[in-house]
Amino acid sequence: MKKIVTLMLIVLMTMLTGCGTEQKSDTVSSEKPKEVSNMELKPSESYVSNEDKKTQTDKYDFSAFGNVEITGVDIAALNDEQLSVLYRQAKYCQAMTDADIETMAELVAEDVIFTHMTGVKQTRAEYFADVKDGSLRYYTIGIENPEIEVNGDFASIHYTSVLNANAYGARGTYRMEGTHKFEKVNGEWITTNAAQEH
């Protein structure tokens, strides 16, 4: 008899706590279900929660760049420094489409030399003047298959630019593969040194 009472108590406790059983209820819970990550980790990787990834990607709001399309990369898989470099490049491309010389100047060192697809080289001042007066008019810019490398205060982004532009009277879509180099100055990435292709 004692065994039967003990067994009935265990069954009753199991039913009350829902352990090992599926509970059905007519009432609606106000609690949100918890997210379950089925992310597979490699031994050398550290775990980053879905919430941390959301905070990281919210910090870099790429949707603000309406004339820039980034393709061929999983933005959620990039680390914070890679996202920071990609964000600065996208911001620069958006400024190009807006002919926003002030923002472009903030993102590019003064001594940068620009190289056009024709091979013509321009100083920053010459290039910016052509963007400002409309000789170079960018409508949309694609950043295709970006590969971002960060090494301390230096970084690079290699990608294919897909430029919908009017370049000195020739309207079309131009595809160019190139690498932009960055240096962290006062905590912000700016485009520096090697010739930049446009």
Side-chain angles (χ1 to χ4, degrees):
M1 183 71 170
K2 197 173 190 181
K3 286 182 181 179
I4 295 173
V5 171
T6 304
L7 184 59
M8 288 178 67
L9 282 173
I10 290 171
V11 170
L12 182 59
M13 287 177 68
T14 302
M15 289 174 65
L16 289 173
T17 59
C19 295
T21 64
E22 185 177 297
Q23 291 184 312
K24 293 185 179 180
S25 173
D26 292 332
T27 60
V28 178
S29 171
S30 61
E31 291 182 10
K32 292 182 180 176
K34 292 182 182 176
E35 285 187 23
V36 178
S37 173
N38 56 3
M39 182 186 301
E40 186 177 316
L41 295 178
K42 296 176 184 165
S44 62
E45 293 177 334
S46 60
Y47 176 74
V48 179
S49 72
N50 289 339
E51 189 173 313
D52 288 343
K53 280 203 174 287
K54 181 169 176 13
T55 301
Q56 188 170 291
T57 51
D58 284 349
K59 182 177 172 184
Y60 304 103
D61 182 12
F62 290 94
S63 68
F65 310 129
N67 297 332
V68 179
E69 182 180 16
I70 301 169
T71 58
V73 66
D74 179 4
I75 289 177
L78 300 177
N79 66 37
D80 189 68
E81 289 286 48
Q82 290 172 318
L83 277 170
S84 180
V85 170
L86 182 59
Y87 186 84
R88 295 290 277 191
Q89 184 63 45
K91 183 175 182 178
Y92 176 72
C93 291
Q94 180 66 39
M96 288 169 62
T97 66
D98 294 337
D100 180 353
I101 305 307
E102 188 174 307
T103 298
M104 290 171 67
E106 289 172 10
L107 300 170
V108 177
E110 287 184 30
D111 62 348
V112 168
I113 300 296
F114 293 88
T115 303
H116 293 275
M117 60 195 314
T118 58
V120 172
K121 295 185 184 305
Q122 287 185 308
T123 65
R124 185 181 90 156
E126 291 168 337
Y127 176 69
F128 285 3
D130 284 355
V131 172
K132 186 175 183 177
D133 72 14
S135 297
L136 287 170
R137 175 70 178 99
Y138 299 98
Y139 301 101
T140 61
I141 299 176
I143 298 175
E144 193 174 274
N145 302 320
E147 296 172 9
I148 305 148
E149 292 183 17
V150 179
N151 185 9
D153 287 340
F154 297 92
S156 66
I157 178 170
H158 181 84
Y159 68 96
T160 300
S161 293
V162 184
L163 307 166
N164 180 347
N166 189 326
Y168 307 106
R171 174 72 190 264
T173 299
Y174 306 95
R175 295 176 63 85
M176 296 179 56
E177 192 172 329
T179 301
H180 286 211
K181 306 218 180 243
F182 293 83
E183 183 176 354
K184 192 173 273 190
V185 177
N186 298 323
E188 297 287 356
W189 293 110
I190 63 165
T191 300
T192 58
N193 58 43
Q196 305 301 311
E197 296 178 350
H198 283 85

